[in-house]
Amino acid sequence: MVVAYKLCIFVEKAAMEKGRADELLIIILEHIERNLHKPISLDEIADSACLSKYHLHRLMKDFLGQPLISYITRIRLERALMYLRTSSKSVAEVANEVGYQSVNSFIKAFKKRFGVAPKSFLTDSELKNAEIKGHLTIPETATYVSSIYALYVPVIGRYGGDNFDLAWSDLLKYAREKNLLTEKTRYLGIYFDDPSVTDEKYCRTYLCVTVDRNIKSEKPYISTLKIDAGFYFVYTFRGEYSELSNVYKYIFNTETPLVHQYRTHFEEYLEYDDKELPTTRIFIPIVKTAR
């Protein structure tokens, strides 16, 4: 799981300033991401951020485009879908993993969100088939990846949309100003949602450049994270970025690696020129060291 470099607390007045509000948003979203496996109350979130529930609601609805409770419910159910796809857990186990104390409540919420019961979802043939335009190299063995520090900007919206260009521009400008870009710099993307399931306007991304240490940024919307060390299956895809959703379908529905459910997969973008197709390395965290 991606872990932020710090957990800050700000008083309500300061939090309503633009910079403080941006940083609080990141902190709150990370808190929710880390605690999906247990009940999360609005009082708990508001208290941790020194906000009233009124200001918490206003801040989050303005940023997310939906009420905070709706956001938490959506993230829980979409995480449950990922667990059903990539593990052999029972419905009861999955319900518990995403913070539902009642299996019946989970099944009811799942059916309302996806239109089918959890056990029926994976019979959908659309999820089983994916035609890839490009070349995908399948790893033979797992690769150990050391921990990685990265400077990142969070983005909410369509993957690859105009907001991505703006975010990359801001991130790279800041990194250049601080002399953080070197020949060893890697360019990464961390994607939390499946656009075939999540409305594209709600998809969450961290756009990252690697750094050699934990850096405290004075920019409230730029932070440092640490990607945990561990074993990964590393796939190499040469093809258009628009094909990556099909690549993931293939990996999760055909290859079925032993996915580590508490760590985040990520992408690395290799340099290329206009005469070549882009090359993307896809890191899927796994539990075991070999197939």
Side-chain angles (χ1 to χ4, degrees), residues 150-190:
L151 208 63
Y152 77 98
V153 173
V155 180
I156 293 183
R158 180 173 65 85
Y159 291 160
D162 292 341
N163 51 352
F164 271 50
D165 293 336
L166 293 173
W168 274 122
S169 178
D170 286 346
L171 179 61
L172 294 176
K173 179 181 178 182
Y174 179 81
R176 289 191 188 97
E177 290 173 352
K178 300 299 180 181
N179 296 316
L180 297 173
L181 299 182
T182 71
E183 293 181 354
K184 295 182 179 179
T185 298
R186 300 163 67 186
Y187 302 87
L188 312 178
I190 302 173

Side-chain angles (χ1 to χ4, degrees), residues 31-281:
H31 175 81
I32 293 169
E33 189 73 28
R34 289 194 302 271
N35 291 283
L36 282 179
H37 61 287
K38 62 184 182 181
I40 304 174
S41 71
L42 294 183
D43 286 331
E44 170 194 341
I45 297 173
D47 288 346
S48 69
C50 294
L51 290 172
S52 67
K53 286 198 290 186
Y54 167 78
H55 281 102
L56 176 67
H57 274 294
R58 188 183 69 179
L59 185 70
M60 300 309 292
K61 188 171 183 179
D62 286 348
F63 182 69
L64 298 170
Q66 63 182 147
L68 184 56
I69 288 294
S70 298
Y71 171 81
I72 293 173
T73 299
R74 177 174 64 79
I75 297 302
R76 286 191 195 282
L77 294 173
E78 291 171 2
R79 177 67 58 80
L81 175 61
M82 184 271 284
Y83 288 164
L84 290 170
R85 283 181 174 177
T86 60
S87 79
S88 58
K89 293 180 184 293
S90 68
V91 172
E93 288 173 322
V94 170
N96 183 66
E97 290 279 359
V98 296
Y100 279 86
Q101 296 177 311
S102 165
V103 177
N104 288 335
S105 295
F106 168 69
I107 293 174
K108 182 178 179 181
F110 193 96
K111 289 178 70 174
K112 182 178 179 180
R113 170 69 178 86
F114 299 114
V116 295
K119 285 186 177 180
S120 302
F121 193 87
L122 294 181
T123 63
D124 188 338
S125 61
E126 182 181 351
L127 297 176
K128 292 292 183 181
N129 301 314
E131 180 182 349
I132 302 172
K133 296 179 181 178
H135 182 264
L136 178 65
T137 301
I138 309 298
E140 294 294 329
T141 60
T143 300
Y144 181 79
V145 177
S146 300
S147 60
I148 300 171
Y149 282 109
L151 208 63
Y152 77 98
V153 173
V155 180
I156 293 183
R158 180 173 65 85
Y159 291 160
D162 292 341
N163 51 352
F164 271 50
D165 293 336
L166 293 173
W168 274 122
S169 178
D170 286 346
L171 179 61
L172 294 176
K173 179 181 178 182
Y174 179 81
R176 289 191 188 97
E177 290 173 352
K178 300 299 180 181
N179 296 316
L180 297 173
L181 299 182
T182 71
E183 293 181 354
K184 295 182 179 179
T185 298
R186 300 163 67 186
Y187 302 87
L188 312 178
I190 302 173
Y191 298 85
F192 295 94
D193 301 296
D194 180 349
S196 69
V197 175
T198 303
D199 188 317
E200 64 179 18
K201 67 183 178 184
Y202 295 137
C203 287
R204 300 162 297 151
T205 311
Y206 288 170
L207 301 179
C208 317
V209 293
T210 59
V211 289
D212 61 3
R213 63 190 184 281
N214 195 344
I215 294 172
K216 181 177 180 180
S217 167
E218 67 274 14
K219 300 279 188 182
Y221 56 90
I222 297 178
S223 301
T224 302
L225 59 81
K226 183 180 179 182
I227 299 176
D228 294 334
F231 285 92
Y232 291 77
F233 283 144
V234 183
Y235 299 79
T236 301
F237 175 65
R238 188 177 181 189
E240 300 294 346
Y241 296 132
S242 58
E243 285 295 310
L244 286 170
S245 61
N246 284 332
V247 172
Y248 280 106
K249 285 182 182 179
Y250 177 85
I251 291 173
F252 287 121
N253 297 313
T254 305
E255 288 292 296
T256 318
L258 300 170
V259 178
H260 194 303
Q261 297 170 3
Y262 302 107
R263 298 211 316 269
T264 305
H265 68 266
F266 63 95
E267 299 173 2
E268 178 180 5
Y269 311 109
L270 306 185
E271 292 187 10
Y272 72 100
D273 59 40
D274 294 339
K275 298 178 181 179
E276 300 176 340
L277 288 171
T279 299
T280 306
R281 299 175 75 197

Side-chain angles (χ1 to χ4, degrees), residues 4-8 10 23 27 30 34 214 216-217 224:
Y5 76 100
K6 64 178 181 177
L7 179 63
C8 299
F10 299 104
E23 190 162 358
I27 291 167
E30 288 175 343
R34 289 194 302 271
N214 195 344
K216 181 177 180 180
S217 167
T224 302

